[in-house]
Amino acid sequence: MTAETILTNALLVLPDRIEPGTLVLRDGLIAELQPGRSQAPGAIDLDGDHLIPGVIDVHTDNLERQVQPRAQARWPSRSAFLSHDAQTAAAGVTTVLDALCLGDLGFDAERTETFLNGVRDLDALAPTGLLKSEHFLHLRCELPAMDMLELVEVVADHPAVRMVSLMDHTPGVGQYVDIERYRQMRMRGGKSVSEVDRRMQELIAQRERLRADQRRTLMQRIAHRNLPLASHDDWREEEIAENAADGVLISEFPVSMVAAEAAHRHGMKIIAGAPNIVRGGSHSGNVAAADLVRAGLVDVFASDYVPPAMIEAVWRAAEETGISLHAAVATITDEPARMLRMADRGRLEAGLRADVVRIRPLEGIPVVRSVWRAGERIA
């Protein structure tokens, strides 16, 4: 029996325009886009709500938030993964790359446990058909960490890996170029001044010793996968040039306008954090994502740490920066699909997967009302 859903009286957000019409979902795919309202029996009247493609999140740390909802409270891993999955689906995210950190720089040892458990949980849950969103892996490889390469071996050939980021969270670098801000952050975690300062000096020396060799070894190890590679928290033109020369064609969360402009000149795609837009600026004191949008320097939004931020960031960007709504929607649908080389999703187009989100704006805030993945209602 053919499984068919007809969604009518909707505003269809297409790649180049928004128009009223009807969407027919059949056997997991978008079968037809029709102008106007359908009179077919059983057609679902959407009351003029927007329909956008299912959201594709290339980077979310949300699993870490579920695993450790409070500083000293670690949640059972499998339960945390299921909570994470439910939250992403409710936010309209039908394809999600769980960004897991590989490598400890001395302050976040629990992240290794989160990584190992997260891979095991995905392997166990994906075949059950119980996950609402479709999950893949984004490896956040901490280049100066002594255990990074060892952890890479766990997943270097894993079929769920779809993206790799070159990370460096050494104090004095990238996101943490402001040493004093870094010191205060670590002290809020309960460390003493002397303990933080000692560890900072160790990390700076460790970076000098390990970063270059481990970066080269990592890239050689994963070269056969031909995965999209991203540099993370770009801050200097020299490092951007090095990355571009080595085939790293994505700049993820550049921390300054100068870095974003340099990445753009090198032909790199740029990912910005959606929470930066929703909050009205960076929580780390870095460049405002809205300014990057105005300058034409954002290709993709990622949730970073708040899945619902993606759709809200799109609506805010359209309202506040002058970008059209259909172009803004592409930053969380079509553009990430292209970045991840997923040709079967990302647009409302006949023949593509029936990943669809129904949205109704309420006083400027887009409210997710319904979500379908492969034609099945998941939220």
Side-chain angles (χ1 to χ4, degrees):
M1 183 176 178
T2 299
E4 182 175 271
T5 301
I6 302 175
L7 306 174
T8 194
N9 188 20
L11 289 174
L12 307 181
V13 181
L14 305 175
D16 58 349
R17 66 193 185 282
I18 298 174
E19 65 178 32
T22 297
L23 202 64
V24 180
L25 315 181
R26 186 179 302 131
D27 293 336
L29 301 177
I30 297 172
E32 300 176 53
L33 287 81
Q34 303 170 349
R37 188 190 298 250
S38 172
Q39 302 301 321
I44 302 172
D45 190 329
L46 299 191
D47 300 322
D49 289 347
H50 290 76
L51 278 182
I52 73 169
V55 174
I56 301 171
D57 192 354
V58 301
H59 179 131
T60 183
D61 305 344
N62 188 58
L63 178 58
E64 292 183 349
R65 303 302 184 277
Q66 307 315 308
V67 168
Q68 198 155 5
R70 290 190 175 181
Q72 303 303 318
R74 192 167 185 89
W75 208 253
S77 176
R78 191 67 52 87
S79 175
F81 200 107
L82 289 168
S83 295
H84 162 57
D85 174 62
Q87 290 178 21
T88 59
V93 179
T94 53
T95 304
V96 53
L97 267 61
D98 298 320
L100 300 177
C101 191
L102 282 68
D104 171 34
L105 290 184
F107 291 104
D108 302 298
E110 69 279 356
R111 279 182 156 174
T112 296
E113 183 180 353
T114 300
F115 159 65
L116 294 172
N117 286 341
V119 175
R120 293 189 195 105
D121 291 339
L122 178 58
D123 285 342
L125 290 169
T128 68
L130 295 176
L131 293 177
K132 297 176 181 295
S133 300
E134 185 172 15
H135 291 255
F136 298 97
L137 296 173
H138 176 160
L139 306 183
R140 305 170 60 208
C141 299
E142 197 68 66
L143 297 180
M146 290 187 287
D147 58 344
M148 183 270 292
L149 292 175
E150 174 186 345
L151 294 173
V152 166
E153 286 304 318
V154 176
V155 286
D157 301 308
H158 196 294
V161 175
R162 292 301 176 95
M163 187 169 170
V164 174
S165 287
L166 309 181
M167 313 273 287
D168 188 346
H169 286 111
T170 305
V173 169
Q175 180 180 351
Y176 299 132
V177 67
D178 185 335
I179 290 283
E180 184 54 34
R181 180 185 286 269
Y182 182 91
R183 179 182 287 110
Q184 294 301 319
M185 177 189 70
R186 293 308 184 189
M187 288 173 61
R188 285 195 297 273
K191 309 289 185 183
S192 67
V193 176
S194 60
E195 186 178 4
V196 170
D197 284 349
R198 175 184 57 79
R199 185 57 184 151
M200 284 169 53
Q201 293 307 311
E202 291 174 351
L203 289 175
I204 292 169
Q206 184 173 309
R207 179 180 191 267
E208 283 293 314
R209 188 172 71 253
L210 296 179
R211 178 191 175 276
D213 286 346
Q214 296 207 145
R215 178 182 183 278
R216 183 166 51 252
T217 301
L218 168 66
M219 295 184 70
Q220 290 171 347
R221 179 61 181 89
I222 62 174
H224 70 291
R225 297 292 305 274
N226 192 31
L227 296 164
L229 299 179
S231 54
H232 187 82
D233 292 343
D234 288 326
W235 64 299
R236 293 195 310 179
E237 294 188 52
E238 297 89 338
E239 289 182 337
I240 291 168
E242 175 193 27
N243 288 323
D246 288 342
V248 179
L249 300 179
I250 302 168
S251 175
E252 184 179 50
F253 310 145
V255 303
S256 69
M257 182 66 73
V258 168
E261 289 171 341
H264 184 70
R265 286 196 301 272
H266 283 281
M268 300 173 78
K269 295 294 185 179
I270 297 172
I271 300 172
N276 188 311
I277 290 282
V278 175
R279 295 182 68 257
S282 167
H283 74 282
S284 301
N286 298 320
V287 66
D291 291 339
L292 296 180
V293 174
R294 292 186 187 97
L297 297 174
V298 174
D299 298 288
V300 169
F301 279 122
S303 77
D304 198 2
Y305 55 96
V306 184
M310 296 185 71
I311 290 176
E312 186 169 351
V314 161
W315 252 256
R316 283 180 178 263
E319 180 180 343
E320 298 172 4
T321 70
I323 188 175
S324 68
L325 181 59
H326 65 263
V329 166
T331 66
I332 60 171
T333 56
D334 191 20
E335 289 293 339
R338 294 177 189 277
M339 178 176 286
L340 298 173
R341 304 161 193 161
M342 294 180 173
D344 63 342
R345 66 196 74 188
R347 301 182 304 283
L348 298 185
E349 182 179 301
L352 297 191
R353 281 192 8 162
D355 295 351
V356 184
V357 184
R358 177 186 181 183
I359 298 168
R360 177 175 296 180
L362 174 66
E363 298 178 356
I365 297 178
V367 179
V368 174
R369 302 193 68 194
S370 309
V371 184
W372 292 262
R373 179 166 76 88
E376 180 181 350
R377 177 84 180 268
I378 61 170

